[in-house]
Amino acid sequence: MRVWLTGGNGMVGGALRRLAPDLAPDVEIIAPGRDILDLTDPAAVRGFLADTRIDAVIHAAGRVGGIAANLRDMAGFLAENLAINLAVIEGARRAGIGTLINFGSSCMYPVNYRQPLIEEDILASPLEPTNEGYALAKIAAARHCAYIARETGAAFRTIIPCNLYGPGDHFSLTRGHLVASAIRKTHDAKLAKASHVEIWGDGTARREFLYVDDLAGWVLQQALQRARDLPQDLNVGFGDDFSVTDYYRMAAKVVGYEGDFQYAPSRPTGMQQKLMSSARAKAFGWRAITSLDEGMATAYRYFRQKGDE
């Protein structure tokens, strides 16, 4: 099976490329970088698909960032992700490709809604304001896939993972999500012998994080092979959530930082809780394998080797 992977240099894409030779030797991944193929250019995407035999698409590309990055350029996050998603998904439809796995995001869910969140909750209530632009682009992509599946019978499906971390993550303080930021800030504080680390908010907001290799392995061995059997939208998560303070404590333990935490209640924190139900995915072989302690230790080793990225 020849699979066009978008976002091959991102965290999810990198895990898929790294794991495919061992977990799915029958899958040949084609992943041209942005220097070769501009995913915001529909004509370029159509040309690539016309010239390349592709059996399936895994769409993992997108512009991502933490709360600070989203607040700084919400219009940019909306516009760029809309352009990428439209070019890729519509390009695959026009090329007659029968299988497309689209990656959604837990940001697609309403703010402060019931817990755990189920797939039908998308668009049931207003979105979290701090990343609304990114979320709207993700919802549009999921709906686009659903319309194509309904109208043509193609297996265009959307996998909705919870927050991810691990090798390939961004550890820059301007781009990193919670786990990566906690690792970076405690690491920097240890080197600087700082007495405390600042945490945005009061530390009580809860988040669900999944080690990226667990997701990538399941997609390669299960979702890609059984795409036609999957529900249209499918949550894939760790199954438990922890507070922001819990993640900082775990990061401090992994890093070896022994200082204190100082809270900044005036800083934005996003949703108070965002736990997803992965009950439906279990019927398709889903389970999280990597513990949080093990995964964060691996993520920290990656950061020590690679730096900010």
Side-chain angles (χ1 to χ4, degrees):
M1 178 189 295
R2 299 191 88 204
V3 176
W4 175 31
L5 169 64
T6 70
N9 292 321
M11 179 164 54
V12 175
L16 289 164
R17 290 191 295 109
R18 177 163 41 81
L19 297 175
D22 291 330
L23 298 185
D26 61 324
V27 173
E28 178 188 359
I29 290 182
I30 311 298
R34 67 180 64 185
D35 56 327
I36 297 174
L37 179 59
D38 180 1
L39 296 181
T40 66
D41 183 347
V45 170
R46 289 196 300 270
F48 166 76
L49 290 172
D51 295 338
T52 311
R53 183 180 65 81
I54 296 296
D55 301 308
V57 177
I58 299 178
H59 181 32
R63 181 182 174 189
V64 299
I67 291 176
N70 274 275
L71 284 172
R72 190 167 53 249
D73 188 18
M74 196 169 291
F77 273 87
L78 174 64
E80 188 170 344
N81 284 299
L82 281 174
I84 291 170
N85 295 337
L86 182 60
V88 171
I89 296 169
E90 188 62 13
R93 181 189 71 83
R94 294 188 182 191
I97 293 172
T99 298
L100 185 147
I101 301 294
N102 170 54
F103 281 106
S105 166
S106 60
C107 297
M108 296 161 61
Y109 284 106
V111 60
N112 298 331
Y113 206 59
R114 64 176 170 187
Q115 305 289 315
L117 295 155
I118 63 173
E119 291 83 352
E120 287 82 5
D121 292 337
I122 296 171
L123 290 178
S125 185
L127 298 165
E128 162 56 45
T130 60
N131 55 17
E132 185 181 78
Y134 177 77
L136 286 169
K138 285 293 187 180
I139 292 170
R143 286 295 190 264
H144 195 176
C145 288
Y147 299 153
I148 291 170
R150 185 177 67 197
E151 293 168 8
T152 70
F156 281 38
R157 304 289 189 264
T158 296
I159 303 298
I160 308 172
C162 66
N163 299 296
L164 301 172
Y165 72 100
D169 208 345
H170 293 292
F171 291 85
S172 164
L173 295 181
T174 60
R175 299 182 65 189
H177 289 90
L178 172 58
V179 169
S181 292
I183 289 173
R184 172 63 187 273
K185 288 164 74 172
T186 52
H187 171 81
D188 288 354
K190 179 184 177 182
L191 293 183
K193 296 182 171 56
S195 62
H196 69 270
V197 168
E198 183 183 75
I199 297 178
W200 283 19
D202 62 6
T204 63
R206 302 184 68 83
R207 291 292 181 269
E208 179 185 17
F209 270 86
L210 174 69
Y211 187 64
V212 67
D213 284 19
D214 290 357
L215 173 67
W218 177 78
V219 168
L220 289 167
Q221 294 183 300
Q222 295 289 339
L224 185 61
Q225 313 296 333
R226 304 175 62 187
R228 191 164 296 280
D229 299 327
L230 297 178
Q232 187 59 52
D233 301 319
L234 186 66
N235 289 342
V236 177
F238 183 69
D240 290 304
D241 61 357
F242 300 89
S243 73
V244 170
T245 297
D246 289 335
Y247 285 110
Y248 271 86
R249 286 175 179 155
M250 292 181 219
K253 179 181 177 182
V254 166
V255 169
Y257 175 67
E258 298 180 351
D260 296 323
F261 302 131
Q262 186 174 84
Y263 297 94
S266 63
R267 295 281 198 169
T269 58
M271 293 189 194
Q272 182 62 26
Q273 186 178 19
K274 191 166 52 172
L275 177 64
M276 303 190 318
S277 170
S278 301
R280 295 176 190 176
K282 292 178 181 178
F284 299 91
W286 168 248
R287 67 184 182 94
I289 300 169
T290 306
S291 70
L292 197 56
D293 287 343
E294 178 187 356
M296 288 185 73
T298 303
Y300 182 51
R301 287 195 295 271
Y302 173 86
F303 166 70
R304 292 289 300 272
Q305 294 170 355
K306 300 292 187 180
D308 292 357
E309 299 216 329

